[in-house]
Amino acid sequence: MAVENAAAGEDRADRADGGGQCPGRVALVGGGPGDPGLMTVAGLEAVRTADVVVTDRLGPVSILDELDPGIEVIGVGKVPFGPATPQEEINRILVEQARRGRTVVRLKGGDSFLFGRGAEEHLACTAAGVPVTVIPGVTSAFSVPALAGVPATHRGLSQGVSVISGHVPPGHPQSTLDYAALARSGTTLVLLMAVTTLPAITAELLAETMPADTPAVLIENGSTPAQRILHGTLATIARQAAEAQVAPPAITVIGAVAGLAGDLVPGLPLA
């Protein structure tokens, strides 16, 4: 095993110096909600055989501590209202590393193509002539609620689900959501990136006549040992989140299915 690892390290160094015969490429890997046990086999294999991993701060970052020392790790995580690597810089890093003949893994939490800007990175690499592969991940939008005992849909309760980005509040110039339509849709609402905007979103849904007693559940740090679950209603969940000092990452589910959270046994984090 030591000989194999040494050979792998030499091969990585050779490609990094531009002397390898393998063309560079990028793999967009969805890492799942955070628990390393929920990462796909294909995703884990890609990370373990990469030359360089360009990683966010969320997802199964604990696996990085177990990688071969020859694998370079570049952190480009974004902290809400804090340090953030511009998307253009991330795109540049992916292209630059691949052009050096390296196998690059772009590791993200959840799934790269659901609010993960995976398509933007794919387009940037393709435009630069860099081969790209996509390895989907287990999206936190459905897996985190499931671990809290909340199904996205349930016969007799919900025939659909709407996954919503809450990075801007209702009425913001960048918001394209029709909250009136969402309020009367009858579907489950799953809110991502909505910790700060939760008061504004719930107030807007209430104003659009969504019943105040609609069940709601908020899950903080889903799938990890730090997971917390708050049970409430559309009228109360924002206040409960503020009182509990909830911080990202957190997911809120609003709809009849959230009422099942007390009947189904939550899944235990694997980590």
Side-chain angles (χ1 to χ4, degrees), residues 246-260:
V246 168
I251 291 176
T252 301
V253 181
I254 300 172
V257 294
L260 294 175

Side-chain angles (χ1 to χ4, degrees), residues 23-70:
R25 58 190 177 87
V26 170
L28 304 176
V29 176
D35 188 317
L38 296 176
M39 191 172 184
T40 67
V41 173
L44 186 59
E45 177 66 15
V47 171
R48 288 175 172 170
T49 57
D51 296 314
V52 57
V53 178
V54 181
T55 180
D56 285 346
R57 71 180 185 91
L58 301 178
V61 293
S62 62
I63 67 171
L64 301 176
D65 297 331
E66 305 170 2
L67 297 183
D68 185 295

